[in-house]
Amino acid sequence: KAGVTQTPRYLIKTRGQQVTLSCSPISGHRSVSWYQQTPGQGLQFLFEYFSETQRNKGNFPGRFSGRQFSNSRSEMNVSTLELGDSALYLCASTYLAGVHNEQFFGPGTRLTVL
Amino acid sequence: AQTVTQSQPEMSVQEAETVTLSCTYDTSESDYYLFWYKQPPSRQMILVIRQEAYKQQNATENRFSVNFQKAAKSFSLKISDSQLGDAAMYFCAYRSAVTTGTASKLTFGTGTRLQVTL
């Protein structure tokens, strides 16, 4: 079974631009969570989607948004990029949203904002 | 809100030796899950071991075992017979067992970088 895939793997943008990252969960997984990883702040939860609905959102500004499609693929968008948005963005999928399921992580997208 | 603390930014162990990584957490909940994740230089986060708070027995996965002390809110990871492939960042993580809202959210510690030397 294929793992979680994230595209692109690397991305370079300039301040003020917007960016869209994609995550394809493991086949059959319906829950997708996004995390931001930076040296200064560590791993922080962005949001979670289940059945095309945002179930949970972390403490990030409204410039960070996401969505999930009917095939469970998810995208996250960051508008008006700032230097501080440079990070590794990790996506994790779960078979069923809830407590008894492991989160499987993708390789991440490395975003650099210049 | 829950917090997870890893007080050891870096640890070093010789090959074949045993090392223990520390983790403490703070929560007002009684039911939750704790995890250790490994992130090698390739960046793919991998689950090493999980512990359900309602289980008193410490979890074990091959060379990896935990020491779960619920009253002390401590969750350490012991790696036995360390191998070069164990070199990575190790993150301790907490997840609520509540079935609604934040159930799937993982709260991570800051990580411990483990070096394995010959």
Side-chain angles (χ1 to χ4, degrees), chain A residues 67-86:
Chain A
R67 60 177 176 170
Q68 186 179 35
F69 301 94
S70 58
N71 62 358
S72 294
R73 189 177 70 86
S74 177
E75 289 182 347
M76 67 163 282
N77 184 77
V78 188
S79 63
T80 319
L81 283 166
E82 300 177 359
L83 295 179
D85 297 333
S86 294

Side-chain angles (χ1 to χ4, degrees), chain B residues 54-66:
Chain B
Y54 63 85
K55 289 187 178 179
Q56 292 188 344
Q57 186 174 4
N58 290 324
T60 300
E61 288 287 342
N62 300 313
R63 298 181 296 106
F64 299 88
S65 62
V66 299

Side-chain angles (χ1 to χ4, degrees), chain A residues 35 37 99-101 103 105, chain B residues 33 39 44 95 104 106:
Chain A
Y35 295 84
Q37 185 176 20
V99 301
H100 300 299
N101 297 281
Q103 292 194 17
F105 283 84
Chain B
Y33 295 83
Q39 189 178 41
Q44 190 98 26
R95 189 173 78 195
S104 293
L106 288 170

Side-chain angles (χ1 to χ4, degrees), chain B residues 6 8 11 18-23 35-38 48-50 59-61 63-68 74-80 89-92 114:
Chain B
Q6 293 178 251
Q8 305 156 316
M11 292 282 286
T18 296
V19 64
T20 298
L21 309 184
S22 301
C23 172
F35 306 86
W36 279 98
Y37 280 89
K38 171 185 176 181
V48 174
I49 199 165
R50 63 181 279 168
T60 300
E61 288 287 342
R63 298 181 296 106
F64 299 88
S65 62
V66 299
N67 183 5
F68 173 51
S74 170
F75 182 61
S76 61
L77 174 70
K78 185 172 83 171
I79 305 174
S80 304
M89 280 290 286
Y90 286 82
F91 292 96
C92 179
L114 179 66

Side-chain angles (χ1 to χ4, degrees), chain A residues 29-95:
Chain A
H29 286 199
R30 296 170 61 193
S31 170
V32 173
S33 298
W34 288 89
Y35 295 84
Q36 181 196 63
Q37 185 176 20
T38 60
Q41 299 298 318
L43 281 150
Q44 293 186 289
F45 173 79
L46 278 157
F47 29 63
E48 180 201 358
Y49 286 87
F50 175 69
S51 293
E52 302 177 63
T53 301
Q54 186 180 89
R55 254 175 39 122
N56 195 7
K57 183 170 166 51
N59 189 25
F60 278 82
R63 300 185 297 106
F64 291 81
S65 63
R67 60 177 176 170
Q68 186 179 35
F69 301 94
S70 58
N71 62 358
S72 294
R73 189 177 70 86
S74 177
E75 289 182 347
M76 67 163 282
N77 184 77
V78 188
S79 63
T80 319
L81 283 166
E82 300 177 359
L83 295 179
D85 297 333
S86 294
L88 181 69
Y89 290 88
L90 293 170
C91 161
S93 78
T94 309
Y95 175 60

